[in-house]
């Protein structure tokens, strides 16, 4: 019942065609949130442009988040606790709201949960296959929104405090981290390039009309 608001309109612009003379890959490279949602929606929007159609992937991701959250909770706790936790996510006003938005938040939630499933399997048996899957899962989560890099830091802290930073976990963990880092490295470089171009100016040096702006 809510129409598109300003951030959703900007999102539509992010997955639309780039300005003349700019290749699409370069537009994705300058996506400040993460390119995965914009890239997916670029192809999704080729079929139709109605609000319902454009909101559908976010809604689907929200539903899948509940399903996979239940799966993850069953891996780490008992059935009753898993059911309670799943219920909390299913009725969460935040999850319901952001699953209806034409934004990347429900994608972030879904891929973070999938990364947690991959991590739980990895710490049970840290072989090369599970390390690769973990690296890809964390990389995809980070490309859905760069805030997922905090998840990677959190997993590293968990490994450290649970005594899994060495031994049979170390080399597979390095492999997983290298894969995730490789996946997001173009956007890390782009951010460094962008930050280097920022000039810090003292407030006293700015004209009054610029201060107002």
């Amino acid at each position: 019942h809510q129409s598109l608001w300003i951030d959703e309109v900007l999102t539509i612009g992010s997955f639309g065609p780039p300005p003349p003379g700019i290749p699409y890959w370069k537009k994705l490279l300058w996506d400040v949130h993460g390119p995965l949602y914009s890239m997916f929606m670029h192809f999704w929007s080729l079929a139709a442009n109605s609000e319902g159609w454009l909101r559908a992937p976010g809604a689907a991701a929200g539903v899948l988040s509940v399903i996979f959250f239940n799966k993850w909770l069953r891996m780490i706790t008992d059935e009753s606790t898993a059911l309670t936790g799943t219920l909390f996510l299913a009725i969460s006003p935040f999850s319901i709201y952001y699953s209806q938005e034409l934004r990347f938040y429900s994608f972030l939630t879904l891929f973070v949960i999938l990364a947690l499933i991959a991590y739980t399997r990895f710490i049970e048996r840290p072989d090369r296959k599970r390390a690769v899957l973990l690296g890809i899962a964390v990389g995809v989560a980070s490309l859905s929104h760069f805030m997922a890099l905090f998840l990677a830091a959190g997993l590293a802290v968990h490994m450290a405090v649970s005594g899994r930073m060495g031994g049979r976990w170390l080399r597979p963990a390095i492999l997983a981290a290298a894969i995730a880092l490789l996946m997001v490295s173009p956007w890390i470089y782009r951010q460094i390039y962008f930050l280097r171009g920022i000039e810090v100016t003292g407030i006293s040096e700015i004209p009054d009309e610029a201060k107002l702006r």
Side-chain angles (χ1 to χ4, degrees), residues 49-121:
N49 277 298
S50 67
E51 284 190 34
W53 178 258
L54 294 178
R55 293 185 193 275
V63 174
L64 289 173
S65 295
V66 176
I67 296 171
F68 284 107
F69 190 57
N70 180 261
K71 180 179 178 66
W72 178 60
L73 289 178
R74 287 173 182 269
M75 296 169 67
I76 64 171
T77 188
D78 60 88
E79 178 126 356
S80 176
T81 305
L83 184 60
T84 303
T86 304
L87 177 63
F88 279 137
L89 180 61
I91 65 174
S92 165
F94 296 104
S95 181
I96 293 171
Y97 177 83
Y98 286 112
S99 294
Q100 297 177 69
E101 264 209 332
L102 209 170
R103 298 283 279 168
F104 38 75
Y105 298 112
S106 60
F107 271 48
L108 171 64
T109 302
L110 173 61
F111 289 116
V112 162
I113 292 170
L114 292 175
L116 290 172
I117 292 174
Y119 176 71
T120 303
R121 289 175 173 170

Side-chain angles (χ1 to χ4, degrees), residues 19 27 36 38-39 43 50-51 67 96 118 129 143 148 151 166 177-178 197:
K27 184 179 181 182
L36 183 66
S38 296
M39 185 168 61
F43 295 102
S50 67
E51 284 190 34
I67 296 171
I96 293 171
K129 178 182 177 181
L143 292 177
L151 168 69

